[in-house]
Amino acid sequence: MIKTGLYNWHKINSANIVSYAGYLLPVYYSSIVNEHNSVRKNAGLFDVSHMGEFFITGENAERFVQLVTINDVSKLSTGKAQYTAMCDHNGGIIDDVIVYKLNKGFMMVVNSANIKKDFEWLNSNTKRGVKLDNKSDEIGLISIQGPKSRLILQKLINTDISNLLFYHFIENIEIGGHSAMLSRTGYTGELGFEIYVSLESIELLWEKLISVGKMDGLIPAGLGCRDTLRLEMNYLLYGNDINQKINPIEAGLEKFIRLNKSDFIGKDSIIDAKQNYNNVLSSFLMIEKGIPRNGFQLFCKDQSIGHVTSGTMSPTLGKGIGQCLINRDYSKIGNEIEIDIRGKLKSATIVKPPFYKTGSLLS
């Protein structure tokens, strides 16, 4: 098991540490619901150091990133980031990632479970004039999320960050006396920031944030509410909602695909998929009481029509919510379906995401 730079702090402050994608991380400190509500109302602090960071440099770096991702990185200027995905030649999603346009080259942030696979894939497709560096083991990552996150963070920064826009970042900035990269990104649907910092600085900076944020309701938060928060926003989780057997069309990621750019890996298969696909990721809301979970089967009039990919009890709505891979004939908004929850069929309805629509994301 891999320990992040904050493992010792977690061990002292949480009795609920588990293995997640090979990393030892807390499920919660106080409770999942308490931490969830704190992020929605005030702020929460997450250790997301398990994410991977690849650096792509060289004279052909942009051309290479264009080749291996479905979005158009030529539209990025320095200081901007982009959500995208990497696909195999069959259009299957290798990973969903964020690409940052640095002063020199690019940084690609990948999911922890895919670090080894992603790096091997990139290396197998690398071109002359491209250098790849995997610095995942050298970088710590803290995420501060919630409507009061900017207020708290500003106490440790001399530079005014009020004009830092969503999916923009500052490459070199001092936060509480520590050199870092500050990105206005997150996985919660609230105003939030992610801080890339050295392993030597991460625990000191974490403790400073907790100290200055305490009066504004900041609390540390674990994996549990990270999942409930992202589900309320319909954000995808690799390994549950998407994988290499699903293409971006089925995953509902069409708005991130740029078919008008030059060839990229998987392009032809994705074009074919637009014309012929049977299943699609959809969101559902439980009508009857029940908590849906990954793998639970979907039915309509006794006919199997798909399965749940992610599900939980929404702390905000007080109802079961989830995402499912469903036959597209049954995916129309308002359609009623049934979910087999531990041997009992419970009714649910297909809804338009996200479930949570009043967040501070763009504040």
Side-chain angles (χ1 to χ4, degrees):
M1 296 297 101
I2 304 171
K3 299 175 182 178
T4 73
L6 289 168
Y7 172 76
N8 289 333
W9 197 94
H10 299 324
K11 188 177 179 181
I12 294 170
N13 292 278
S14 173
N16 301 280
I17 293 176
V18 299
S19 172
Y20 178 78
Y23 289 78
L24 291 169
L25 292 165
V27 178
Y28 60 87
Y29 301 91
S30 54
S31 76
I32 292 173
V33 172
N34 182 50
E35 291 164 18
H36 179 107
N37 291 335
S38 180
V39 173
R40 290 280 180 248
K41 297 175 182 178
N42 298 305
L45 199 63
F46 298 85
D47 177 11
V48 283
S49 302
H50 55 289
M51 301 297 284
E53 294 87 14
F54 303 157
F55 289 80
I56 305 167
T57 55
E59 59 184 344
N60 291 322
E62 183 175 301
R63 186 181 302 177
F64 176 68
V65 178
Q66 286 284 65
L67 173 69
V68 298
T69 61
I70 64 174
N71 211 327
D72 188 355
V73 294
S74 70
K75 303 299 183 182
L76 288 180
S77 55
T78 302
K80 293 184 179 181
Q82 180 184 85
Y83 177 80
T84 185
M86 296 191 296
C87 292
D88 61 25
H89 292 280
N90 296 318
I93 300 173
I94 293 174
D95 205 357
D96 63 329
V97 305
I98 297 179
V99 172
Y100 293 80
K101 177 67 179 295
L102 307 174
N103 285 317
K104 294 183 179 179
F106 299 85
M107 180 175 77
M108 179 184 289
V109 178
V110 306
N111 287 296
S112 53
N114 296 332
I115 292 173
K116 184 176 184 293
K117 178 187 74 170
D118 288 356
F119 197 67
E120 289 175 351
W121 169 256
L122 289 170
N123 266 314
S124 71
N125 289 283
T126 192
K127 306 293 182 183
R128 178 180 293 181
V130 177
K131 182 182 179 184
L132 296 174
D133 288 306
N134 179 3
K135 295 189 177 181
S136 306
D137 294 335
E138 302 173 28
I139 297 174
L141 180 55
I142 296 171
S143 182
I144 179 170
Q145 301 286 311
K148 295 183 181 179
S149 59
R150 185 193 287 122
L151 172 68
I152 294 165
L153 195 54
Q154 189 67 77
K155 296 176 183 180
L156 296 178
I157 300 176
N158 292 326
T159 307
D160 182 9
I161 59 170
S162 61
N163 293 320
L164 185 62
L165 301 176
F166 190 46
Y167 266 75
H168 287 60
F169 67 96
I170 302 171
E171 191 168 344
N172 294 298
I173 189 170
E174 187 174 291
I175 306 175
H178 301 276
S179 179
M181 187 178 106
L182 178 66
S183 173
R184 191 173 157 190
T185 44
Y187 200 46
T188 66
E190 301 294 348
L191 171 67
F193 302 84
E194 294 179 313
I195 306 166
Y196 296 85
V197 67
S198 71
L199 296 182
E200 293 75 22
S201 296
I202 190 168
E203 186 169 355
L204 293 171
L205 182 53
W206 175 273
E207 290 178 338
K208 281 189 175 183
L209 284 163
I210 289 176
S211 177
V212 300
K214 189 174 182 179
M215 293 294 293
D216 295 302
L218 175 70
I219 62 173
L223 293 169
C225 79
R226 183 168 157 83
D227 195 53
T228 56
L229 290 160
R230 69 95 187 170
L231 260 171
E232 288 186 347
M233 288 301 297
N234 202 54
Y235 293 153
L236 305 181
L237 176 63
Y238 195 93
N240 278 42
D241 308 306
I242 53 175
N243 53 53
Q244 216 160 327
K245 296 179 181 179
I246 297 173
N247 64 61
I249 303 299
E250 294 169 317
L253 298 178
E254 190 167 358
K255 66 181 179 180
F256 300 105
I257 304 169
R258 299 295 179 265
L259 293 175
N260 59 345
K261 72 173 186 175
S262 58
D263 283 347
F264 58 89
I265 296 174
K267 181 178 180 179
D268 290 342
S269 295
I270 291 171
I271 291 173
D272 291 341
K274 284 191 68 174
Q275 308 303 320
N276 182 30
Y277 65 100
N278 296 320
N279 300 312
V280 63
L281 276 177
S282 297
S283 299
F284 65 85
L285 177 69
M286 295 300 301
I287 298 173
E288 294 186 86
K289 188 176 181 180
I291 303 176
R293 297 298 186 191
N294 172 266
F296 287 5
Q297 297 300 302
L298 310 179
F299 295 90
C300 183
K301 297 179 181 178
D302 297 324
Q303 182 176 347
S304 177
I305 57 172
H307 67 274
V308 175
T309 58
S310 289
T312 193
M313 174 62 70
S314 164
T316 302
L317 302 180
K319 296 181 179 181
I321 62 171
Q323 298 178 57
C324 60
L325 189 65
I326 188 172
N327 185 299
R328 62 185 297 194
D329 293 337
Y330 299 89
S331 64
K332 184 179 178 181
I333 303 300
N335 274 4
E336 190 169 321
I337 59 173
E338 291 183 307
I339 302 176
D340 184 345
I341 299 181
R342 296 181 172 85
K344 294 183 179 180
L345 292 179
K346 302 282 188 175
S347 60
T349 185
I350 302 297
V351 297
K352 182 179 180 180
F355 301 97
Y356 177 70
K357 297 177 170 64
T358 57
S360 57
L361 179 67
L362 301 178
S363 297

